[in-house]
Amino acid sequence: MRNQARVHLWYPAKHGLPYPALHCSTDGIHRFLTTTTQVGIRRTQAGHDVYAPFDDIANMVVRPNSGPNFSAANYAAKATRWKRLWPELTVLAADGACPLLSA
């Protein structure tokens, strides 16, 4: 789990890309590198709320999130590592053209 509230302070120096401050937790989730990882969990009095705008995680699909801070190199590195760990994943190319079979 990560706290996204301070990402805008260190992200530009680490990745060389702008990262405007977040106004709510879903703003940060929508900037995650892949739609697969766009998941948030919030504790409530009744238990937990789950926010996952895409069902890629359930379908085991790794898809790039083409937001303004997308990095094809970071996406390729993560997708390659995840494919080694979970060979059954379908990894989509960063350009959306076709699945990456060798990742």
Side-chain angles (χ1 to χ4, degrees):
M1 289 200 277
R2 309 263 177 171
N3 181 335
Q4 298 295 307
R6 298 177 56 83
V7 173
H8 66 281
L9 299 175
W10 57 261
Y11 192 95
K14 182 174 181 178
H15 297 289
L17 296 168
Y19 200 97
L22 303 173
H23 298 287
C24 66
S25 58
T26 57
D27 285 353
I29 291 168
H30 285 273
R31 293 184 197 173
F32 289 1
L33 184 62
T34 71
T35 59
T36 314
T37 57
Q38 288 180 320
V39 177
I41 300 170
R42 176 178 51 200
R43 189 183 321 200
T44 66
Q45 289 183 344
H48 295 89
D49 282 339
V50 176
Y51 178 78
F54 297 94
D55 57 0
D56 286 345
I57 193 168
N59 294 325
M60 299 191 73
V61 172
V62 178
R63 181 185 320 271
N65 176 17
S66 58
N69 59 316
F70 178 75
S71 163
N74 289 346
Y75 175 77
K78 283 184 184 282
T80 299
R81 183 172 55 88
W82 293 345
K83 186 72 172 176
R84 276 196 311 267
L85 293 169
W86 301 286
E88 64 275 22
L89 289 175
T90 298
V91 176
L92 302 182
D95 65 7
C98 62
L100 295 176
L101 301 177
S102 62

XYZ file of all heavy atoms in Angstrom:
805
model
N 0.834 -1.165 0.000
C 0.000 0.000 0.000
C 0.884 1.237 0.000
O 1.967 1.224 0.542
C -0.903 0.005 1.225
C -1.976 -1.042 1.156
S -3.337 -0.678 2.246
C -2.707 -1.305 3.774
N 0.359 2.286 -0.595
C 1.101 3.536 -0.682
C 0.190 4.707 -0.335
O -0.975 4.723 -0.672
C 1.609 3.762 -2.104
C 2.346 2.602 -2.685
C 3.783 2.762 -2.532
N 4.397 1.559 -3.071
C 5.653 1.427 -3.253
N 6.444 2.389 -2.936
N 6.147 0.318 -3.726
N 0.786 5.684 0.306
C 0.081 6.923 0.560
C 0.452 7.883 -0.571
O 1.622 8.207 -0.755
C 0.496 7.501 1.912
C -0.232 8.781 2.233
O -0.688 9.492 1.354
N -0.338 9.075 3.514
N -0.531 8.333 -1.331
C -0.280 9.145 -2.515
C -0.200 10.646 -2.239
O 0.093 11.426 -3.134
C -1.387 8.874 -3.541
C -1.435 7.430 -4.003
C -0.190 7.037 -4.759
O 0.204 7.694 -5.711
N 0.460 5.976 -4.331
N -0.453 11.075 -1.007
C -0.576 12.497 -0.701
C 0.698 13.302 -0.974
O 0.618 14.491 -1.246
C -1.008 12.690 0.755
N 1.867 12.682 -0.912
C 3.114 13.427 -1.086
C 3.851 13.088 -2.379
O 4.962 13.555 -2.613
C 4.012 13.178 0.122
C 3.385 13.665 1.434
C 4.230 13.365 2.654
N 5.582 13.881 2.597
C 5.936 15.137 2.904
N 5.035 15.986 3.316
N 7.183 15.526 2.820
N 3.236 12.311 -3.247
C 3.903 11.892 -4.485
C 4.333 13.098 -5.321
O 5.416 13.103 -5.910
C 2.998 10.950 -5.314
C 3.600 10.645 -6.672
C 2.750 9.659 -4.547
N 3.524 14.128 -5.371
C 3.851 15.303 -6.189
C 5.152 15.984 -5.743
O 5.770 16.719 -6.512
C 2.691 16.310 -6.177
C 2.436 16.927 -4.852
N 1.752 16.273 -3.855
C 2.786 18.135 -4.361
C 1.682 17.069 -2.796
N 2.296 18.194 -3.069
N 5.607 15.716 -4.521
C 6.832 16.321 -4.017
C 8.095 15.629 -4.538
O 9.123 16.278 -4.751
C 6.829 16.311 -2.480
C 5.688 17.091 -1.820
C 5.726 16.899 -0.311
C 5.751 18.561 -2.199
N 8.042 14.313 -4.749
C 9.244 13.597 -5.169
C 9.181 13.057 -6.601
O 10.219 12.768 -7.203
C 9.554 12.445 -4.212
C 8.459 11.433 -4.028
C 7.569 11.373 -2.998
C 8.137 10.336 -4.887
N 6.709 10.324 -3.172
C 7.038 9.657 -4.326
C 8.668 9.850 -6.078
C 6.460 8.535 -4.909
C 8.086 8.728 -6.671
C 7.008 8.094 -6.079
N 8.010 12.930 -7.172
C 7.856 12.299 -8.483
C 8.639 12.998 -9.598
O 9.341 12.332 -10.368
C 6.369 12.203 -8.847
C 6.091 11.318 -10.033
C 5.737 9.987 -9.849
C 6.173 11.793 -11.330
C 5.477 9.163 -10.923
C 5.923 10.980 -12.410
C 5.580 9.666 -12.205
O 5.326 8.846 -13.270
N 8.550 14.336 -9.740
C 9.277 14.986 -10.841
C 10.787 14.732 -10.803
O 11.402 14.509 -11.848
C 8.956 16.473 -10.649
C 7.629 16.476 -9.955
C 7.694 15.289 -9.016
N 11.386 14.762 -9.621
C 12.832 14.528 -9.524
C 13.189 13.086 -9.879
O 14.205 12.828 -10.515
C 13.328 14.860 -8.122
N 12.358 12.152 -9.495
C 12.652 10.735 -9.740
C 12.387 10.327 -11.185
O 13.145 9.552 -11.769
C 11.822 9.860 -8.797
C 12.100 8.382 -8.964
C 11.402 7.528 -7.940
C 11.754 6.065 -8.160
N 11.141 5.208 -7.161
N 11.306 10.846 -11.785
C 10.889 10.384 -13.104
C 11.007 11.427 -14.208
O 10.780 11.116 -15.376
C 9.445 9.878 -13.045
C 9.275 8.704 -12.148
N 9.760 7.446 -12.448
C 8.681 8.585 -10.942
C 9.465 6.603 -11.471
N 8.821 7.276 -10.537
N 11.305 12.677 -13.854
C 11.457 13.708 -14.867
C 10.151 14.122 -15.526
O 10.157 14.669 -16.623
N 9.041 13.849 -14.872
C 7.724 14.202 -15.396
C 6.951 14.971 -14.339
O 7.125 14.733 -13.148
C 6.945 12.933 -15.772
C 7.520 12.076 -16.888
C 6.818 10.732 -16.939
C 7.377 12.796 -18.214
N 6.078 15.887 -14.761
C 5.287 16.628 -13.763
C 4.264 15.718 -13.081
O 3.852 14.701 -13.642
C 4.584 17.697 -14.595
C 4.536 17.144 -15.970
C 5.767 16.269 -16.122
N 3.891 16.090 -11.880
C 2.880 15.345 -11.133
C 2.125 16.326 -10.253
O 2.532 16.597 -9.115
C 3.538 14.258 -10.274
C 2.588 13.165 -9.862
C 2.516 11.979 -10.569
C 1.751 13.318 -8.753
C 1.652 10.972 -10.195
C 0.879 12.319 -8.378
C 0.839 11.143 -9.100
O -0.027 10.140 -8.727
N 1.043 16.909 -10.789
C 0.278 17.884 -9.996
C -0.233 17.263 -8.693
O -0.480 16.053 -8.621
C -0.891 18.245 -10.908
C -0.438 17.877 -12.288
C 0.485 16.704 -12.114
N -0.397 18.110 -7.686
C -0.907 17.642 -6.398
C -2.284 17.012 -6.572
O -3.062 17.405 -7.438
C -0.991 18.809 -5.415
N -2.564 16.029 -5.750
C -3.839 15.317 -5.802
C -4.885 16.042 -4.968
O -4.570 16.632 -3.943
C -3.657 13.895 -5.264
C -2.596 13.054 -5.975
C -2.394 11.744 -5.233
C -2.974 12.810 -7.417
N -6.128 15.967 -5.416
C -7.230 16.573 -4.670
C -8.066 15.530 -3.944
O -8.780 15.849 -3.009
C -8.105 17.404 -5.603
C -7.347 18.534 -6.223
N -6.978 19.656 -5.526
C -6.849 18.690 -7.468
C -6.288 20.468 -6.317
N -6.198 19.896 -7.495
N -7.985 14.286 -4.393
C -8.683 13.193 -3.717
C -7.957 11.896 -4.060
O -7.144 11.850 -4.979
C -10.164 13.137 -4.111
S -10.461 12.728 -5.830
N -8.230 10.849 -3.318
C -7.508 9.589 -3.492
C -7.708 8.983 -4.877
O -6.788 8.386 -5.435
C -7.902 8.588 -2.408
O -9.284 8.348 -2.444
N -8.890 9.158 -5.466
C -9.098 8.575 -6.797
C -8.276 9.291 -7.867
O -7.930 8.681 -8.880
C -10.590 8.552 -7.181
O -11.119 9.871 -7.112
C -11.371 7.618 -6.281
N -7.915 10.565 -7.645
C -7.014 11.248 -8.581
C -5.708 10.468 -8.712
O -5.195 10.273 -9.808
C -6.678 12.664 -8.102
C -7.797 13.662 -8.295
O -8.817 13.323 -8.930
O -7.645 14.790 -7.779
N -5.151 10.057 -7.590
C -3.903 9.299 -7.608
C -4.066 7.941 -8.255
O -3.222 7.494 -9.028
N -5.156 7.273 -7.951
C -5.406 5.944 -8.520
C -5.489 6.022 -10.038
O -4.953 5.168 -10.743
C -6.680 5.328 -7.900
C -6.423 5.003 -6.426
C -7.142 4.100 -8.667
C -7.670 4.652 -5.634
N -6.095 7.070 -10.550
C -6.227 7.223 -11.999
C -4.901 7.523 -12.683
O -4.801 7.390 -13.898
C -7.259 8.300 -12.334
C -8.655 7.830 -12.119
N -9.376 7.175 -13.079
C -9.449 7.878 -11.030
C -10.564 6.854 -12.600
N -10.628 7.264 -11.345
N -3.866 7.865 -11.931
C -2.542 8.121 -12.504
C -1.623 6.899 -12.428
O -0.485 6.964 -12.903
C -1.875 9.286 -11.780
C -2.584 10.595 -12.014
C -1.826 11.710 -11.348
N -2.660 12.894 -11.194
C -2.299 13.964 -10.536
N -1.118 14.034 -9.967
N -3.116 14.985 -10.433
N -2.059 5.817 -11.821
C -1.206 4.625 -11.715
C -0.771 4.171 -13.100
O -1.491 4.333 -14.087
C -1.929 3.498 -10.994
C -2.132 3.707 -9.516
C -1.713 4.849 -8.853
C -2.777 2.743 -8.772
C -1.913 5.022 -7.484
C -2.984 2.905 -7.407
C -2.552 4.032 -6.769
N 0.379 3.543 -13.195
C 1.005 3.154 -14.456
C 0.160 2.186 -15.283
O 0.168 2.237 -16.500
C 2.382 2.533 -14.163
C 3.240 2.151 -15.352
C 3.595 3.381 -16.184
C 4.504 1.463 -14.871
N -0.552 1.289 -14.610
C -1.375 0.316 -15.330
C -2.805 0.355 -14.797
O -3.040 0.672 -13.635
C -0.850 -1.129 -15.168
O -1.086 -1.563 -13.832
C 0.632 -1.225 -15.487
N -3.742 0.005 -15.668
C -5.131 -0.084 -15.211
C -5.286 -1.246 -14.239
O -6.157 -1.217 -13.379
C -6.095 -0.259 -16.396
O -5.752 -1.440 -17.119
C -6.053 0.950 -17.321
N -4.428 -2.226 -14.351
C -4.464 -3.388 -13.468
C -4.241 -3.002 -12.012
O -4.832 -3.585 -11.111
C -3.370 -4.400 -13.884
O -3.417 -4.565 -15.296
C -3.541 -5.719 -13.200
N -3.394 -2.016 -11.793
C -3.062 -1.614 -10.427
C -3.922 -0.463 -9.918
O -3.717 0.014 -8.802
C -1.575 -1.209 -10.323
O -1.309 -0.157 -11.257
C -0.677 -2.401 -10.597
N -4.879 -0.039 -10.688
C -5.762 1.050 -10.265
C -6.806 0.506 -9.287
O -7.966 0.315 -9.612
C -6.434 1.708 -11.472
C -5.467 2.532 -12.288
C -6.133 3.177 -13.468
O -6.961 2.589 -14.138
N -5.768 4.412 -13.742
N -6.339 0.274 -8.075
C -7.183 -0.289 -7.022
C -6.914 0.485 -5.730
O -5.766 0.751 -5.387
C -6.882 -1.783 -6.794
C -7.708 -2.349 -5.658
C -7.103 -2.574 -8.074
N -7.981 0.832 -5.042
C -7.867 1.480 -3.747
C -8.823 0.838 -2.764
O -9.914 0.400 -3.138
N -8.416 0.768 -1.510
C -9.252 0.191 -0.455
C -9.338 1.204 0.677
O -8.327 1.761 1.099
C -8.660 -1.131 0.066
C -8.553 -2.144 -1.075
C -9.515 -1.687 1.206
C -7.775 -3.388 -0.726
N -10.553 1.453 1.130
C -10.779 2.398 2.220
C -11.546 1.698 3.324
O -12.535 1.011 3.079
C -11.587 3.590 1.700
C -11.948 4.577 2.779
C -12.709 5.769 2.245
N -13.833 5.315 1.430
C -14.460 6.070 0.534
N -14.062 7.290 0.307
N -15.473 5.602 -0.130
N -11.056 1.849 4.555
C -11.744 1.285 5.709
C -12.995 2.122 6.006
O -12.945 3.348 5.977
C -10.841 1.259 6.920
C -11.452 0.483 8.069
C -10.615 0.490 9.295
N -9.195 0.365 8.975
C -8.286 -0.037 9.834
N -8.624 -0.346 11.058
N -7.044 -0.118 9.486
N -14.088 1.462 6.268
C -15.331 2.137 6.648
C -15.836 1.524 7.945
O -15.322 0.496 8.398
C -16.421 1.964 5.563
O -16.781 0.584 5.486
C -15.942 2.460 4.211
N -16.858 2.114 8.523
C -17.430 1.546 9.738
C -18.019 0.163 9.469
O -18.009 -0.691 10.353
C -18.504 2.475 10.304
C -17.927 3.727 10.901
C -18.996 4.611 11.526
O -20.180 4.448 11.276
N -18.558 5.554 12.348
N -18.485 -0.058 8.268
C -19.091 -1.345 7.918
C -18.075 -2.372 7.409
O -18.425 -3.526 7.198
C -20.169 -1.143 6.860
N -16.838 -1.974 7.215
C -15.821 -2.895 6.696
C -14.846 -2.167 5.796
O -14.033 -1.396 6.272
N -14.954 -2.397 4.483
C -14.061 -1.772 3.516
C -14.819 -1.455 2.232
O -15.717 -2.192 1.840
C -12.892 -2.708 3.167
C -11.993 -2.980 4.312
N -12.204 -4.014 5.193
C -10.885 -2.336 4.738
C -11.262 -4.000 6.107
N -10.449 -2.994 5.857
N -14.411 -0.360 1.589
C -14.868 -0.026 0.241
C -13.700 -0.271 -0.693
O -12.557 0.100 -0.384
C -15.265 1.445 0.133
C -16.630 1.746 0.713
O -17.444 0.799 0.844
O -16.879 2.915 1.035
N -13.969 -0.864 -1.833
C -12.942 -1.106 -2.849
C -13.263 -0.238 -4.054
O -14.403 -0.222 -4.525
C -12.889 -2.592 -3.254
C -11.885 -2.813 -4.378
C -12.546 -3.459 -2.054
N -12.255 0.482 -4.535
C -12.391 1.276 -5.746
C -11.482 0.670 -6.795
O -10.258 0.624 -6.620
C -12.001 2.734 -5.484
C -12.081 3.585 -6.728
C -13.315 4.028 -7.194
C -10.946 3.929 -7.437
C -13.411 4.789 -8.335
C -11.030 4.697 -8.587
C -12.254 5.119 -9.028
O -12.348 5.879 -10.171
N -12.057 0.151 -7.858
C -11.304 -0.434 -8.964
C -12.085 -0.153 -10.252
O -13.003 -0.892 -10.590
C -11.108 -1.933 -8.759
N -11.746 0.927 -10.960
C -12.538 1.323 -12.123
C -12.442 0.371 -13.314
O -13.264 0.443 -14.221
C -11.993 2.705 -12.468
C -10.626 2.743 -11.897
C -10.664 1.861 -10.681
N -11.475 -0.515 -13.321
C -11.324 -1.488 -14.403
C -11.321 -2.893 -13.814
O -10.906 -3.099 -12.687
C -10.005 -1.265 -15.159
C -9.933 0.072 -15.831
C -9.335 1.145 -15.191
C -10.472 0.267 -17.086
C -9.271 2.397 -15.790
C -10.418 1.502 -17.698
C -9.813 2.573 -17.046
N -11.751 -3.867 -14.595
C -11.731 -5.245 -14.110
C -10.536 -6.026 -14.656
O -10.526 -7.242 -14.657
C -13.057 -5.966 -14.383
C -13.448 -5.979 -15.845
O -12.707 -5.422 -16.677
O -14.498 -6.556 -16.161
N -9.494 -5.302 -15.091
C -8.303 -5.963 -15.613
C -7.642 -6.861 -14.579
O -7.117 -7.920 -14.912
C -7.288 -4.934 -16.116
C -7.715 -4.299 -17.428
O -8.629 -4.828 -18.090
O -7.126 -3.267 -17.803
N -7.680 -6.484 -13.325
C -7.047 -7.297 -12.284
C -7.735 -8.658 -12.186
O -7.081 -9.695 -12.085
C -7.009 -6.563 -10.925
C -6.069 -7.277 -9.957
C -8.379 -6.387 -10.339
C -5.765 -6.467 -8.707
N -9.054 -8.672 -12.263
C -9.804 -9.931 -12.197
C -9.599 -10.773 -13.454
O -9.602 -12.001 -13.391
C -11.289 -9.654 -11.990
N -9.387 -10.093 -14.588
C -9.203 -10.796 -15.859
C -7.743 -11.111 -16.162
O -7.437 -11.663 -17.219
C -9.801 -9.967 -16.996
C -11.299 -9.858 -16.864
O -11.965 -10.789 -16.419
N -11.838 -8.709 -17.229
N -6.843 -10.708 -15.246
C -5.404 -10.946 -15.390
C -4.842 -10.334 -16.677
O -4.056 -10.933 -17.387
C -5.079 -12.430 -15.266
C -5.488 -12.975 -13.902
S -4.877 -14.598 -13.540
C -3.155 -14.244 -13.264
N -5.283 -9.101 -16.939
C -4.801 -8.340 -18.091
C -3.982 -7.166 -17.580
O -4.425 -6.431 -16.701
C -5.994 -7.818 -18.939
C -5.516 -6.876 -20.030
C -6.776 -8.981 -19.524
N -2.790 -7.008 -18.130
C -1.947 -5.865 -17.805
C -2.058 -4.904 -18.977
O -1.698 -5.229 -20.105
C -0.482 -6.286 -17.561
C 0.387 -5.070 -17.276
C -0.401 -7.284 -16.423
N -2.598 -3.718 -18.687
C -2.878 -2.714 -19.713
C -2.253 -1.396 -19.278
O -2.387 -0.992 -18.128
C -4.390 -2.565 -19.841
C -4.894 -1.602 -20.866
C -6.427 -1.463 -20.802
N -7.131 -2.687 -20.564
C -7.549 -3.535 -21.499
N -7.324 -3.257 -22.765
N -8.192 -4.643 -21.176
N -1.579 -0.690 -20.209
C -0.996 0.597 -19.829
C -2.081 1.634 -19.563
O -3.149 1.598 -20.167
C -0.161 0.980 -21.043
C -0.781 0.251 -22.186
C -1.346 -1.020 -21.618
N -1.796 2.517 -18.645
C -2.654 3.668 -18.381
C -2.002 4.847 -19.092
O -0.967 5.333 -18.674
C -2.758 3.940 -16.881
C -3.574 5.181 -16.587
O -4.304 5.665 -17.432
N -3.439 5.702 -15.386
N -2.604 5.285 -20.169
C -1.968 6.304 -21.011
C -2.180 7.719 -20.476
O -2.458 8.633 -21.229
C -2.491 6.199 -22.441
O -3.910 6.352 -22.447
N -2.016 7.889 -19.185
C -2.138 9.194 -18.561
C -0.937 10.072 -18.876
O 0.020 9.635 -19.526
N -0.954 11.311 -18.403
C 0.115 12.262 -18.735
C 1.484 11.889 -18.180
O 2.489 12.335 -18.706
C -0.374 13.582 -18.119
C -1.383 13.195 -17.103
C -1.992 11.899 -17.566
N 1.548 11.072 -17.156
C 2.855 10.692 -16.596
C 3.232 9.260 -16.959
O 4.078 8.653 -16.323
C 2.885 10.903 -15.079
C 1.811 10.099 -14.365
O 0.676 10.051 -14.816
N 2.146 9.475 -13.266
N 2.664 8.730 -18.050
C 2.977 7.365 -18.480
C 4.416 7.270 -18.973
O 4.909 8.142 -19.667
C 2.027 6.924 -19.598
C 2.332 5.551 -20.107
C 1.992 4.444 -19.358
C 2.991 5.371 -21.301
C 2.291 3.161 -19.804
C 3.288 4.093 -21.760
C 2.940 2.992 -21.011
N 5.067 6.181 -18.613
C 6.432 5.894 -19.071
C 6.440 4.494 -19.671
O 6.222 3.512 -18.959
C 7.409 5.966 -17.902
O 8.623 5.336 -18.242
N 6.682 4.409 -20.972
C 6.729 3.108 -21.644
C 7.839 2.232 -21.064
O 7.670 1.019 -20.932
C 6.914 3.296 -23.148
N 8.967 2.833 -20.691
C 10.084 2.061 -20.127
C 9.695 1.464 -18.776
O 9.966 0.283 -18.515
C 11.316 2.945 -19.985
N 9.066 2.256 -17.917
C 8.633 1.737 -16.614
C 7.568 0.663 -16.791
O 7.559 -0.346 -16.083
C 8.101 2.857 -15.728
C 9.187 3.782 -15.243
O 10.368 3.492 -15.337
N 8.788 4.933 -14.739
N 6.656 0.879 -17.736
C 5.609 -0.107 -18.010
C 6.229 -1.429 -18.473
O 5.885 -2.497 -17.979
C 4.640 0.425 -19.070
C 3.603 -0.584 -19.480
C 2.516 -0.856 -18.659
C 3.700 -1.274 -20.680
C 1.554 -1.788 -19.018
C 2.753 -2.210 -21.049
C 1.680 -2.457 -20.224
O 0.739 -3.387 -20.570
N 7.167 -1.365 -19.404
C 7.812 -2.575 -19.917
C 8.538 -3.325 -18.801
O 8.466 -4.555 -18.725
C 8.782 -2.232 -21.040
N 9.216 -2.601 -17.920
C 9.939 -3.250 -16.822
C 8.968 -3.961 -15.877
O 9.196 -5.116 -15.501
C 10.768 -2.221 -16.058
N 7.898 -3.270 -15.492
C 6.923 -3.890 -14.589
C 6.232 -5.080 -15.261
O 6.076 -6.138 -14.657
C 5.873 -2.878 -14.145
C 6.362 -1.924 -13.092
C 5.242 -1.025 -12.629
C 5.740 -0.004 -11.648
N 5.947 -0.511 -10.318
N 5.799 -4.894 -16.498
C 5.087 -5.964 -17.202
C 5.966 -7.192 -17.388
O 5.496 -8.327 -17.232
C 4.583 -5.451 -18.556
N 7.224 -6.987 -17.682
C 8.153 -8.112 -17.848
C 8.313 -8.876 -16.535
O 8.264 -10.116 -16.509
C 9.523 -7.600 -18.342
O 9.333 -6.974 -19.613
C 10.526 -8.729 -18.466
N 8.478 -8.139 -15.437
C 8.621 -8.794 -14.128
C 7.347 -9.545 -13.756
O 7.395 -10.686 -13.313
C 8.964 -7.754 -13.061
C 9.197 -8.358 -11.681
C 9.720 -7.342 -10.692
N 8.887 -6.170 -10.557
C 7.858 -6.089 -9.688
N 7.562 -7.114 -8.919
N 7.156 -4.986 -9.615
N 6.203 -8.905 -13.947
C 4.933 -9.551 -13.605
C 4.687 -10.789 -14.455
O 4.193 -11.791 -13.966
C 3.776 -8.573 -13.764
C 3.782 -7.446 -12.788
C 4.503 -7.334 -11.625
C 3.030 -6.252 -12.886
N 4.234 -6.144 -11.006
C 3.339 -5.460 -11.753
C 2.129 -5.754 -13.826
C 2.757 -4.212 -11.540
C 1.563 -4.512 -13.608
C 1.876 -3.761 -12.473
N 5.051 -10.751 -15.739
C 4.852 -11.902 -16.631
C 5.707 -13.081 -16.183
O 5.286 -14.232 -16.277
C 5.160 -11.495 -18.078
C 4.852 -12.552 -19.098
C 3.375 -12.740 -19.298
C 3.121 -13.669 -20.466
N 1.708 -13.974 -20.654
N 6.906 -12.795 -15.663
C 7.746 -13.872 -15.128
C 7.094 -14.501 -13.898
O 7.145 -15.712 -13.700
C 9.131 -13.349 -14.765
C 10.087 -13.293 -15.926
C 11.536 -13.139 -15.487
N 11.765 -12.089 -14.510
C 12.103 -10.843 -14.793
N 12.254 -10.469 -16.042
N 12.306 -9.963 -13.838
N 6.499 -13.673 -13.046
C 5.859 -14.174 -11.831
C 4.542 -14.889 -12.111
O 4.214 -15.877 -11.457
C 5.597 -13.017 -10.855
C 6.827 -12.355 -10.257
C 6.443 -11.067 -9.531
C 7.533 -13.311 -9.311
N 3.776 -14.369 -13.054
C 2.453 -14.906 -13.390
C 2.366 -15.104 -14.900
O 1.827 -14.254 -15.627
C 1.349 -13.963 -12.911
C 1.389 -13.723 -11.439
C 1.014 -14.586 -10.453
C 1.829 -12.537 -10.765
N 1.202 -14.017 -9.212
C 1.692 -12.769 -9.370
C 2.325 -11.303 -11.191
C 2.041 -11.805 -8.423
C 2.667 -10.354 -10.249
C 2.522 -10.615 -8.891
N 2.877 -16.217 -15.423
C 2.911 -16.432 -16.875
C 1.538 -16.406 -17.535
O 1.433 -16.180 -18.736
C 3.558 -17.819 -17.025
C 4.051 -18.208 -15.696
C 3.477 -17.306 -14.666
N 0.494 -16.613 -16.759
C -0.856 -16.621 -17.331
C -1.402 -15.225 -17.627
O -2.487 -15.078 -18.215
C -1.824 -17.381 -16.412
C -2.034 -16.760 -15.047
C -0.996 -17.150 -13.994
O 0.122 -17.571 -14.330
O -1.317 -17.009 -12.797
N -0.676 -14.180 -17.273
C -1.102 -12.812 -17.569
C -1.141 -12.554 -19.068
O -0.311 -13.072 -19.815
C -0.130 -11.792 -16.962
C -0.108 -11.605 -15.467
C 1.011 -10.640 -15.088
C -1.442 -11.098 -14.966
N -2.066 -11.728 -19.481
C -2.053 -11.173 -20.825
C -1.522 -9.754 -20.680
O -2.124 -8.933 -19.988
C -3.468 -11.136 -21.431
O -3.950 -12.473 -21.530
C -3.471 -10.478 -22.797
N -0.384 -9.481 -21.299
C 0.248 -8.164 -21.214
C 0.047 -7.463 -22.543
O 0.479 -7.951 -23.586
C 1.751 -8.289 -20.889
C 2.415 -6.922 -20.893
C 1.955 -8.985 -19.550
N -0.627 -6.313 -22.497
C -0.860 -5.533 -23.706
C 0.299 -4.580 -23.946
O 0.858 -4.018 -23.003
C -2.167 -4.757 -23.590
C -3.402 -5.619 -23.343
C -4.638 -4.741 -23.297
C -3.556 -6.697 -24.407
N 0.636 -4.395 -25.210
C 1.722 -3.503 -25.573
C 1.396 -2.071 -25.185
O 0.228 -1.690 -25.129
C 1.984 -3.588 -27.073
N 2.411 -1.285 -24.933
C 2.197 0.101 -24.514
C 1.473 0.910 -25.578
O 0.750 1.835 -25.252
C 3.538 0.757 -24.170
N 1.624 0.551 -26.835
C 0.918 1.283 -27.886
C -0.483 0.737 -28.123
O -1.210 1.231 -28.972
C 1.717 1.286 -29.184
C 1.879 -0.117 -29.773
O 1.285 -1.085 -29.269
O 2.622 -0.240 -30.759
N -0.863 -0.312 -27.397
C -2.201 -0.889 -27.516
C -2.389 -1.766 -28.732
O -3.485 -2.262 -28.986
N -1.321 -1.984 -29.505
C -1.457 -2.714 -30.759
C -1.786 -4.188 -30.582
O -2.648 -4.719 -31.257
C -0.160 -2.570 -31.579
N -1.083 -4.855 -29.688
C -1.310 -6.287 -29.527
C -0.719 -6.749 -28.197
O 0.105 -6.056 -27.614
C -0.674 -7.060 -30.684
S 1.124 -6.867 -30.761
N -1.121 -7.943 -27.744
C -0.511 -8.467 -26.518
C 0.978 -8.723 -26.702
O 1.427 -9.055 -27.801
C -1.263 -9.778 -26.285
C -2.521 -9.633 -27.053
C -2.192 -8.778 -28.239
N 1.724 -8.557 -25.642
C 3.142 -8.885 -25.652
C 3.293 -10.344 -25.242
O 3.083 -10.688 -24.094
C 3.916 -8.003 -24.667
C 3.952 -6.519 -24.962
C 4.662 -5.777 -23.842
C 4.645 -6.257 -26.274
N 3.639 -11.182 -26.163
C 3.738 -12.602 -25.863
C 5.079 -12.958 -25.251
O 5.201 -13.936 -24.554
C 3.498 -13.423 -27.130
C 2.136 -13.181 -27.775
C 2.007 -13.985 -29.063
C 1.000 -13.543 -26.819
N 6.090 -12.158 -25.506
C 7.418 -12.488 -24.996
C 7.758 -11.765 -23.711
O 8.840 -11.940 -23.206
C 8.465 -12.144 -26.062
O 8.426 -10.751 -26.329
N 6.873 -10.944 -23.203
C 7.181 -10.175 -21.995
C 7.326 -11.069 -20.790
O 6.841 -12.155 -20.726
C 6.094 -9.143 -21.721
